[in-house]
Amino acid sequence: MRASNPELKILKKIFILQDLEEAELVDVRAASVPREFSAGSVILTEGDPGEQMYILLAGEVEVTKRLLLPIDRTALLERIMNRLNSGDGVTLGEMALIENDVRSANVTASTDCRMLELSKEKALLLFNQNPAMGVKILFRLSQLLSKRLRKSDEDIVKLTTALVVALER
Amino acid sequence: MRASNPELKILKKIFILQDLEEAELVDVRAASVPREFSAGSVILTEGDPGEQMYILLAGEVEVTKRLLLPIDRTALLERIMNRLNSGDGVTLGEMALIENDVRSANVTASTDCRMLELSKEKALLLFNQNPAMGVKILFRLSQLLSKRLRKSDEDIVKLTTALVVALER
């Protein structure tokens, strides 16, 4: 399936696709399947297995994450909120391209959403057919994960400090 | 410089090099520079810039990390400890291959150490000359970072839970 111009414009904004030539973006588009999610529907569920990455072409999604271990006294688990819209160059579930693990967050459609779904299988095929494109995508994916890791490690230092202060009261 | 057999045996144990053919390991070895660190010397300093990854060929290192924000009352900052030895297939500073950021931990030589140093520049050259090898290395590097990210995110959930419990006392 050929990529339309507005779609290519969105693909160019995607962090892990930013180094690709236009012809390579067209190949990524061709390896993907269009998906529609209506407002309110669940796209990814934390803890579920998953082998697809999603690119948000139109609409807005909400990302939530379990923040607390289930402890007796709190019936409600708190969640971190994040709202992302298609103008931001959003990928969801991109860790599925490189591992066999469960989803690390919940994603819900806040509005009707149009997505591209790229399976791990199709991504590996693309990397195999065009390793130079594979290097470009995996290099940026590593950067994305490394940025997130540094952010999480900073949060751990902050939380540990807060915990020490709380316990010393 | 040719890779000796014992060196190749260690390179084969390195997580991010595990999918490489022997000839590719020889290329990684050829792109690297041998380095020696005497017992007690500092290899990496948290917060310092760095553009090299290290492979531990012989010896043992200690990895430490700042655990607390500098708060007035605690003169001593606590640290997480980790001891790694050359039999474990150890890479240090591998995030430097894909970003321009500071070191995320301190590494000290516990014994005399023999290392291979691979610069970001040389790694990019390798990926460029042999993109299929680049895909294999960057795929595993993404996996490594994604595993660490999941571990850090679990620690955040645990610490947040502990903090909520501590504040409710």
Side-chain angles (χ1 to χ4, degrees):
Chain A
M1 192 167 160
R2 284 210 47 205
S4 63
N5 272 338
E7 274 179 15
L8 279 183
K9 217 170 142 186
I10 290 168
L11 294 185
K12 281 178 186 165
K13 281 193 192 170
I14 302 292
F15 184 85
I16 66 170
L17 305 180
Q18 67 183 281
D19 301 321
L20 270 53
E21 308 291 333
E22 193 152 316
E24 292 171 330
L25 290 174
V26 170
D27 288 344
V28 170
R29 172 62 189 84
S32 307
V33 175
R35 292 286 307 271
E36 312 234 331
F37 293 89
S38 54
S41 63
V42 173
I43 300 160
L44 302 179
T45 303
E46 191 174 356
D48 274 8
E51 303 214 316
Q52 303 81 28
M53 179 188 89
Y54 294 91
I55 295 168
L56 185 57
L57 291 179
E60 192 175 88
V61 297
E62 197 174 76
V63 182
T64 66
K65 220 167 144 36
R66 190 167 55 91
L67 192 58
L68 290 182
L69 292 173
I71 42 177
D72 286 350
R73 293 168 294 151
T74 49
L76 279 172
L77 305 177
E78 294 199 41
R79 284 156 192 280
I80 305 164
M81 299 296 213
N82 215 344
R83 248 167 214 284
L84 301 168
N85 97 39
S86 54
D88 305 330
V90 178
T91 48
L92 303 164
E94 58 285 319
M95 282 152 91
L97 294 190
I98 47 107
E99 58 176 17
N100 297 313
D101 211 326
V102 298
R103 299 299 189 187
S104 61
N106 299 298
V107 182
T108 309
S110 320
T111 65
D112 289 349
C113 287
R114 219 152 43 77
M115 305 254 188
L116 287 179
E117 179 184 291
L118 178 65
S119 69
K120 180 182 185 170
E121 196 194 340
K122 287 287 176 67
L124 294 183
L125 216 60
L126 282 176
F127 300 163
N128 204 30
Q129 286 165 350
N130 182 354
M133 175 170 73
V135 166
K136 289 188 260 186
I137 294 176
L138 290 167
F139 190 88
R140 292 297 183 178
L141 179 57
S142 302
Q143 275 188 340
L144 186 70
L145 294 172
S146 140
K147 269 186 230 290
R148 286 187 196 155
L149 181 59
R150 284 180 188 272
K151 169 73 176 59
S152 287
D153 285 348
E154 269 172 35
D155 287 348
I156 287 175
V157 171
K158 284 182 199 160
L159 281 165
T160 308
T161 308
L163 187 59
V164 167
V165 171
L167 291 173
E168 277 177 355
R169 279 185 318 174
Chain B
M1 193 166 161
R2 284 210 46 204
S4 65
N5 273 339
E7 272 180 16
L8 278 184
K9 218 169 143 187
I10 290 169
L11 293 185
K12 280 177 187 168
K13 281 192 190 170
I14 302 292
F15 185 85
I16 65 169
L17 305 180
Q18 68 182 281
D19 302 320
L20 269 53
E21 308 291 332
E22 192 150 319
E24 292 171 331
L25 289 174
V26 170
D27 288 344
V28 169
R29 172 64 189 83
S32 307
V33 176
R35 292 286 306 273
E36 313 233 332
F37 293 89
S38 53
S41 63
V42 173
I43 300 160
L44 302 179
T45 303
E46 191 175 354
D48 274 9
E51 304 216 314
Q52 302 83 28
M53 179 187 88
Y54 294 92
I55 295 168
L56 185 58
L57 291 178
E60 192 174 89
V61 297
E62 198 174 76
V63 182
T64 65
K65 220 166 145 33
R66 190 166 55 90
L67 192 59
L68 290 182
L69 292 173
I71 43 178
D72 285 351
R73 291 167 293 150
T74 49
L76 278 173
L77 304 178
E78 293 198 41
R79 283 155 194 280
I80 304 165
M81 300 295 214
N82 213 346
R83 248 168 213 284
L84 302 167
N85 99 35
S86 55
D88 305 330
V90 178
T91 48
L92 303 164
E94 58 287 319
M95 282 152 91
L97 294 192
I98 45 108
E99 56 176 18
N100 298 311
D101 210 325
V102 297
R103 299 298 189 187
S104 61
N106 300 298
V107 182
T108 310
S110 321
T111 66
D112 289 350
C113 286
R114 219 154 42 79
M115 306 254 188
L116 287 180
E117 179 184 292
L118 178 64
S119 69
K120 179 182 186 169
E121 194 193 340
K122 286 286 175 68
L124 294 183
L125 215 60
L126 282 177
F127 300 164
N128 203 31
Q129 285 164 351
N130 182 352
M133 175 170 74
V135 165
K136 289 188 260 188
I137 294 176
L138 290 168
F139 191 87
R140 292 297 183 177
L141 179 57
S142 302
Q143 276 188 339
L144 186 71
L145 295 172
S146 139
K147 270 186 230 291
R148 285 186 196 158
L149 181 59
R150 285 181 188 272
K151 169 74 177 60
S152 288
D153 284 349
E154 269 171 36
D155 288 348
I156 287 175
V157 172
K158 283 181 199 159
L159 281 164
T160 308
T161 307
L163 186 60
V164 167
V165 172
L167 292 173
E168 278 177 355
R169 282 185 315 174

